[in-house]
């Protein structure tokens, strides 16, 4: 588990060598060097990326709005951040490409035929309602600008069975060599999907467990943990990647960015396309309540830059999708677009944002096209109504 977050520096980053400057708080999922350098170049600003694991970034955002200007994280965390009033509503009249954003974050599904998945669906916490709370009814203000997202699953070590079910995380064949994400809003979802797939139990609403359901799930997981089933718990994609590099695990929860990191370093793993569907996540950008006018103007320029195409192309190469894909398409080769979004075999070797080959010609994206995968989200990352109780029981499980 991430350690206790100490009070961060509150030094203003409003001006740096005569340029507007922004402090962007988030995770390594989207705060990567190619994004920072190009945004600084295009916008004429200075960016200070404050990179934390997800839980730590969430705590800083809730408790210390004076310590950041832009918050770059995930929609399900809004359930904890918005009540703290540490971020401000975003004015849609200042979002230049709002109409280009597809229906997934706006309506909770890509098209009318897709099912609306339970959990922290971004559409249910997107719009700021008249009473100041968040909901799905469109208004002129939003909580976060929808940006990067994907449908995650789990990874298998090279040479292992190409699992097609979440039950692999609980399979006795992998006892002692299983890793799970440590964030209660993410790792629990993976194990809910695994428990259902393995036939252990089912839930009234798998994205929002009752106290009794939490106890049932955690008690079963504790019994499995006492038998040595779980090898490790990780907080960042770097930690997840290190477990495979050191040959400590056969199967692990995995973010697609971690999969790219492993491919970049030449570690062969397989990403599962589970028949039960995926765990969905959606990222976005929010603004601190403490911005002055100059930093607010720079922050809106940064938000609009994210939708201008280049960032979306870079994030595709890092295995995350952007909320307005067609604009990113102009910054991608035909082979990149066909692989990352079209579900077609790679027409050539494809490179990550750092220039390393991560996809070989002829490979096909596991699970198919963008529409295929994002149309099969089983549960979104979720902050449940009983989140505090879940965290207490989850912590008991992690620390056993």
């Amino acid at each position: 588990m991430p350690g206790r977050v100490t009070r961060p520096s509150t030094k203003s980053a409003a001006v740096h060598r005569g340029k507007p400057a922004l402090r962007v708080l988030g995770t390594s999922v989207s705060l990567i060097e190619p994004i920072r350098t190009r945004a600084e170049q295009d916008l004429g600003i200075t960016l200070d990326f404050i990179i934390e694991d997800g839980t730590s970034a969430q705590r800083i955002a809730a408790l210390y709005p004076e310590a950041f200007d832009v918050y770059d994280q995930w929609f399900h965390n809004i359930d904890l951040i918005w009540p703290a009033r540490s971020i401000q509503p975003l004015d849609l009249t200042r979002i230049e490409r709002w109409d280009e954003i597809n229906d997934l974050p706006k309506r909770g599904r890509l098209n009318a035929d897709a099912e609306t998945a339970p959990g922290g669906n971004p559409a249910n916490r997107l719009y700021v309602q008249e009473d100041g709370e968040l909901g799905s009814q469109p208004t002129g203000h939003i909580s976060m600008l929808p940006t990067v997202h994907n449908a995650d699953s789990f990874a298998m070590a090279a040479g292992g069975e190409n699992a097609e079910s979440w039950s692999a995380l609980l399979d006795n064949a992998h006892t002692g060599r299983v890793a799970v994400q440590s964030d209660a809003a993410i790792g629990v979802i993976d194990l809910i999907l695994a428990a259902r797939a393995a036939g252990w139990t089912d839930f009234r609403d798998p994205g929002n467990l009752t106290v009794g359901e939490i106890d049932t799930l955690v008690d079963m997981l504790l019994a499995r943990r006492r038998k040595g089933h779980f090898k490790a718990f990780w907080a960042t994609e770097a930690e997840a990647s290190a477990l495979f590099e050191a040959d400590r695990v056969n199967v692990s929860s995995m973010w697609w960015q971690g999969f790219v990191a492993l491919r970049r370093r030449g570690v062969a793993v397989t990403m599962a396309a589970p028949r039960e569907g995926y765990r969905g996540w959606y990222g976005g950008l929010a603004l601190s309540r403490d911005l002055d006018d100059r930093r607010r103007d720079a922050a809106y320029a940064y938000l609009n830059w994210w939708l201008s195409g280049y960032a979306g192309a870079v994030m595709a190469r890092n295995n995350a999708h952007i909320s307005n894909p067609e604009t990113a398409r102009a910054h991608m080769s035909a082979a990149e677009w066909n692989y990352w979004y079209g579900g077609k075999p790679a027409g050539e070797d494809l490179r990550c944002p750092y220039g390393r080959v991560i996809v070989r010609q002829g490979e096909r994206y596991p699970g198919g096209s963008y529409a295929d995968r994002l149309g099969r989200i089983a549960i979104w990352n979720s902050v449940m109504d009983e989140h505090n109780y879940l965290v207490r029981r989850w912590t008991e499980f992690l620390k056993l």
Side-chain angles (χ1 to χ4, degrees):
M1 287 285 286
R4 182 179 179 182
V5 176
T6 57
R7 186 180 183 90
S9 170
T10 58
K11 183 178 180 181
S12 172
V15 179
H16 182 76
R17 297 178 183 173
K19 297 180 180 180
L22 294 175
R23 300 160 298 171
V24 185
L25 170 65
T27 71
S28 58
V29 170
S30 47
L31 299 187
I32 62 175
E33 190 63 12
I35 291 291
R36 188 189 66 79
T37 55
R38 181 60 179 260
E40 288 186 337
Q41 174 185 326
D42 289 351
L43 297 172
I45 65 175
T46 296
L47 292 169
D48 176 15
F49 280 178
I50 306 168
I51 301 174
E52 302 281 350
D53 65 69
T55 303
S56 298
Q58 168 197 295
R59 290 173 182 165
I60 293 170
L63 297 174
Y64 306 112
E66 70 279 8
F68 67 95
D69 302 313
V70 178
Y71 179 52
D72 181 336
Q73 216 185 13
W74 308 309
F75 265 88
H76 68 274
N77 283 337
I78 284 291
D79 291 1
L80 298 171
I81 304 302
W82 190 258
R85 296 296 187 256
S86 58
I87 58 174
Q88 61 181 274
L90 298 180
D91 182 353
L92 284 181
T93 66
R94 301 193 67 173
I95 304 300
E96 297 168 0
R97 297 177 181 269
W98 176 250
D99 291 342
E100 296 179 2
I101 293 176
N102 67 29
D103 280 350
L104 186 58
K106 293 177 178 177
R107 294 178 173 84
R109 54 189 180 182
L110 278 177
N111 54 67
D113 296 330
E115 294 185 6
T116 301
N121 194 314
N124 296 332
R125 50 205 32 83
L126 176 61
Y127 294 99
V128 181
Q129 305 298 297
E130 294 300 323
D131 62 0
E133 299 306 311
L134 302 180
S136 60
Q137 180 63 37
T139 66
H141 292 84
I142 58 174
S143 57
M144 298 182 81
L145 177 66
T147 54
V148 294
H149 55 283
N150 209 336
D152 279 346
S153 61
F154 57 93
M156 301 288 296
E161 179 186 358
N162 184 12
E164 297 179 351
S165 173
W166 282 98
S167 62
L169 289 173
L170 298 174
D171 192 329
N172 287 328
H174 303 301
T175 292
R177 294 182 63 83
V178 176
V180 177
Q181 218 281 330
S182 63
D183 187 332
I186 301 174
V188 167
I189 302 300
D190 288 346
L191 291 175
I192 286 172
L193 286 161
R196 294 174 75 195
W200 280 17
T201 187
D202 206 349
F203 308 95
R204 174 189 54 82
D205 177 353
N208 192 22
L209 304 190
T210 64
V211 167
E213 289 172 332
I214 291 169
D215 285 338
T216 296
L217 176 65
V218 174
D219 287 346
M220 289 189 296
L221 294 174
L222 283 167
R224 186 58 62 94
R225 176 120 202 240
R226 291 186 183 103
K227 296 179 180 179
H229 183 76
F230 298 98
K231 180 67 173 181
F233 303 94
W234 55 268
T236 69
E237 60 201 47
E239 293 174 5
S241 300
L243 291 169
F244 279 104
E245 287 186 280
D247 191 29
R248 297 180 62 203
V249 296
N250 291 343
V251 58
S252 174
S253 304
M254 183 59 66
W255 298 344
W256 281 104
Q257 290 72 31
F259 176 75
V260 168
L262 286 166
R263 281 291 188 94
R264 187 163 55 237
R265 292 194 284 271
V267 180
V269 295
T270 299
M271 201 74 169
R275 56 178 172 267
E276 299 90 5
Y278 296 89
R279 175 182 50 74
W281 63 273
Y282 216 111
L285 299 169
L287 302 187
S288 168
R289 73 181 186 204
D290 285 355
L291 292 180
D292 58 29
D293 289 344
R294 187 182 189 196
R295 284 183 294 156
R296 185 179 297 107
D297 289 345
Y300 271 106
Y302 180 66
L303 268 57
N304 284 314
W305 178 85
W306 261 94
L307 298 181
S308 65
Y310 181 85
V314 170
M315 294 311 299
R317 298 176 191 121
N318 208 40
N319 218 333
H321 301 297
I322 194 69
S323 55
N324 59 336
E326 288 296 330
T327 302
R329 186 173 187 171
H331 296 263
M332 302 168 69
S333 70
E336 287 178 321
W337 176 264
N338 288 337
Y339 178 83
W340 296 114
Y341 280 93
K344 298 178 181 179
E348 61 191 29
D349 288 352
L350 302 180
R351 298 178 182 275
C352 75
Y354 299 96
R356 298 290 297 273
V357 172
I358 55 170
V359 175
R360 293 296 180 182
Q361 184 175 1
E363 286 189 71
R364 190 187 295 269
Y365 198 112
S369 70
Y370 170 73
D372 289 340
R373 288 176 291 102
L374 273 297
R376 296 189 58 245
I377 293 172
I379 313 176
W380 293 93
N381 290 348
S382 180
V383 173
M384 302 181 187
D385 290 345
E386 298 293 344
H387 179 72
N388 289 337
Y389 184 75
L390 173 62
V391 169
R392 289 199 296 273
R393 292 303 320 270
W394 182 246
T395 300
E396 178 186 351
F397 167 65
L398 295 182
K399 291 185 175 181
L400 180 67

